[in-house]
Amino acid sequence: MNVRIGYSVFRLRAHLKRGGVIAYPTESSYGLGCLPNHAVGIRRIIQLKKRPQNKGLIVIGDDWGRLQSLLFRLPEGDAAACLAIWQVAPPTTLLLPARDGVLPALRGIRRDKLAVRVPQHVLARRLCAGVGSALVSTSCNRAKKRPCRTERETRRQFGRDVLVIGGRTGGRKQPSRIIDWQSAQQLR
């Protein structure tokens, strides 16, 4: 299965397993991604973005099951409610209780929740399914700069530092909203 012309799933998996970073289209912009359990990949994203380590990163999966290994088990009704939220617009990222083994740089230093989403963007879901893993998904930009919205912008800003998966973004103007599941507070 080819996720995008020129990149086989085998090549993508190998790149990610070495701590490589990819850039790919999401609902509103290109995202930077790596494997969520790979400390080297996460460190590279933080360095590329020049981002503070305490903020944490979003993780996406093609379905609920792909995210389960990172999260404490939710009651069945809560899991169904999360799925229902992800199936409607606007795209929503939920802060859910993270398992103890989740890397601190992924969830944010001294934080016990992880930001997760099942994206509405078909290519982003296909990437997760193709590589057989959830992926980090943070906006493709340097800190305090505008996110890259095209493949051309992404290549110009990040050059050879990332493997770029071409495609169109979903055209949304705003990034996903972020909601803390336990408090129902909208954080973005």
Side-chain angles (χ1 to χ4, degrees):
M1 168 184 159
N2 280 335
V3 174
R4 186 74 181 152
I5 297 172
Y7 297 110
S8 70
V9 170
F10 176 78
R11 181 176 175 197
L12 285 172
R13 281 185 194 141
H15 177 75
L16 292 166
K17 285 182 179 179
R18 288 190 307 268
V21 175
I22 61 173
Y24 55 93
T26 68
E27 295 93 338
S28 63
S29 67
Y30 265 70
L32 291 175
C34 68
L35 295 176
N37 59 354
H38 204 297
V40 171
I42 292 168
R43 198 167 31 251
R44 287 192 66 220
I45 286 176
I46 290 168
Q47 289 169 346
L48 284 169
K49 286 182 64 81
K50 299 179 180 166
R51 178 187 173 108
Q53 288 187 15
N54 64 325
K55 284 183 127 185
L57 300 165
I58 295 172
V59 177
I60 63 168
D62 54 311
D63 61 27
W64 178 252
R66 196 74 67 195
L67 301 168
Q68 287 295 306
S69 66
L70 302 167
L71 303 170
F72 277 114
R73 186 176 175 92
L74 292 178
E76 206 54 43
D78 285 1
C82 289
L83 288 171
I85 287 170
W86 289 325
Q87 293 173 356
V88 297
T92 302
T93 298
L94 298 174
L95 280 176
L96 297 171
R99 289 191 186 224
D100 294 333
V102 171
L103 296 169
L106 183 61
R107 65 178 190 271
I109 306 299
R110 290 189 284 286
R111 295 184 184 193
D112 60 356
K113 295 177 183 173
L114 183 63
V116 296
R117 181 172 89 247
V118 174
Q120 296 171 354
H121 195 277
V122 174
L123 180 57
R125 284 196 318 266
R126 283 183 49 209
L127 274 169
C128 292
V131 299
S133 176
L135 292 170
V136 168
S137 185
T138 183
S139 60
C140 186
N141 61 304
R142 310 263 188 227
K144 311 250 188 219
K145 302 286 184 187
R146 188 176 69 81
C148 298
R149 299 204 185 269
T150 66
E151 180 179 352
R152 184 176 180 179
E153 285 179 277
T154 302
R155 289 186 189 284
R156 192 177 318 133
Q157 191 168 50
F158 290 97
R160 298 179 189 265
D161 292 330
V162 302
L163 183 63
V164 179
I165 311 299
R168 290 180 178 254
T169 63
R172 295 193 59 86
K173 301 282 187 231
Q174 299 297 316
S176 68
R177 61 188 182 156
I178 298 176
I179 297 176
D180 184 309
W181 183 253
Q182 291 173 321
S183 70
Q185 179 183 7
Q186 184 167 335
L187 305 173
R188 174 174 79 182

